[in-house]
Amino acid sequence: FPEILSNPRLIPVQGTLNVVMNQNVTLSCYPDSGSPPVTYTLFKHNQKVSTLNRPDLIPGLFNLTISSASDMGEYKCKAENNIPGGGKYSNSLNFTLIEPISKLVLSSPTSQVKKGQKVTLSCLSETGSLPITYIFFKGKQNISPPVKMQKREAAVIHLFINSSSDLGTYKCKAENSFRNNTKYSNSFNFTLADERRHSQPLLISLGLVLLLLLIGFALAIPFFIIPSYKASE
């Protein structure tokens, strides 16, 4: 007697639901039990995509191309045999579109610093699928644990510039779920501010104030000395 099909299983043949744009993927739909022949129908958002007829219980294979965001919807398959009302639906699948990191920017609000100053470094990738993991370097030395960002926000670290050895070249790198796509940022260097150069405007200002005081005192002498001299006569 014909046997009713079990609920089919829908799985990605490539083993992952993470895909890149324009990738070809294959979905396999098959029941564990039931009588052939079997008709497999693939649906996306409850709309029919394709139909396959098999004379046996060999899985139905559906080939797709992920060419736009509209291809990322929910997929299901239905398996039917000759038993009326015996059609069964599978689990649902959703692809996740992953995008490589293309550009990484390392920046700071200031590049000129003084000894003992606290500084901030920010590393941001404006492209690439989330989450993104950032790591900061000074030269070739790792100076931070991995910072995993779930939002499109910069990873930030704080440093103290205590000596000239802290003025080296800084970089950051970023990785996401896209395979073999580690990206490094631009280089960033702090420079030590010249304290003497910063003190020159202050000295000039003090000198001008002193000069104005002397001029004012010189102009005031006639108003104080001459009247007193006439009074003594």
Side-chain angles (χ1 to χ4, degrees):
F1 294 96
E3 182 183 357
I4 295 177
L5 296 169
S6 62
N7 286 87
R9 284 187 270 178
L10 184 65
I11 61 171
V13 173
Q14 63 274 12
T16 178
L17 291 170
N18 292 334
V19 296
V20 298
M21 195 63 73
N22 298 318
Q23 180 177 337
N24 295 322
V25 297
T26 301
L27 294 179
S28 172
C29 180
Y30 64 97
D32 289 324
S33 61
S35 299
V38 182
T39 297
Y40 297 102
T41 304
L42 182 68
F43 295 88
K44 184 187 72 174
H45 290 313
N46 298 320
Q47 292 185 346
K48 186 184 294 186
V49 175
S50 182
T51 299
L52 297 172
N53 294 306
R54 300 293 305 182
D56 44 40
L57 287 180
I58 292 177
L61 300 179
F62 297 95
N63 298 312
L64 307 170
T65 300
I66 306 300
S67 57
S68 68
S70 63
D71 296 323
M72 306 301 295
E74 181 186 70
Y75 288 86
K76 283 186 177 183
C77 74
K78 183 181 181 181
E80 302 172 276
N81 59 8
N82 294 327
I83 299 178
K88 296 293 181 68
Y89 284 91
S90 73
N91 55 294
S92 60
L93 291 182
N94 285 277
F95 290 107
T96 299
L97 185 66
I98 57 174
E99 182 186 7
I101 298 167
S102 61
K103 187 177 181 181
L104 195 60
V105 177
L106 181 65
S107 61
S108 177
T110 180
S111 60
Q112 285 198 336
V113 296
K114 297 179 180 178
K115 287 184 179 180
Q117 182 176 338
K118 184 180 181 180
V119 296
T120 300
L121 280 173
S122 300
C123 187
L124 175 64
S125 172
E126 296 181 354
T127 61
S129 304
L130 298 170
I132 297 177
T133 301
Y134 298 90
I135 298 179
F136 292 83
F137 295 87
K138 178 178 171 289
K140 295 183 179 181
Q141 183 179 0
N142 183 343
I143 59 171
S144 77
V147 181
K148 192 171 187 177
M149 303 299 295
Q150 302 286 348
K151 297 181 180 180
R152 188 73 61 190
E153 297 176 351
V156 177
I157 62 168
H158 302 283
L159 307 168
F160 282 97
I161 305 298
N162 294 316
S163 66
S164 57
S165 63
D166 297 322
L167 302 175
T169 300
Y170 291 87
K171 280 189 176 184
C172 65
K173 75 172 183 179
E175 298 175 322
N176 63 2
S177 57
F178 197 94
R179 291 183 179 180
N180 303 319
N181 187 239
T182 299
K183 287 290 181 180
Y184 286 85
S185 72
N186 55 292
S187 299
F188 190 92
N189 291 77
F190 292 105
T191 57
L192 201 59
D194 189 344
E195 296 181 358
R196 292 174 300 173
R197 184 170 58 190
H198 286 285
S199 65
Q200 286 179 355
L202 179 61
L203 293 175
I204 294 173
S205 299
L206 291 175
L208 288 174
V209 171
L210 182 60
L211 179 60
L212 290 174
L213 289 174
L214 290 174
I215 293 173
F217 181 74
L219 293 174
I221 288 177
F223 295 97
F224 290 99
I225 296 180
I226 294 177
S228 61
Y229 175 75
K230 289 183 177 180
S232 63
E233 290 181 347

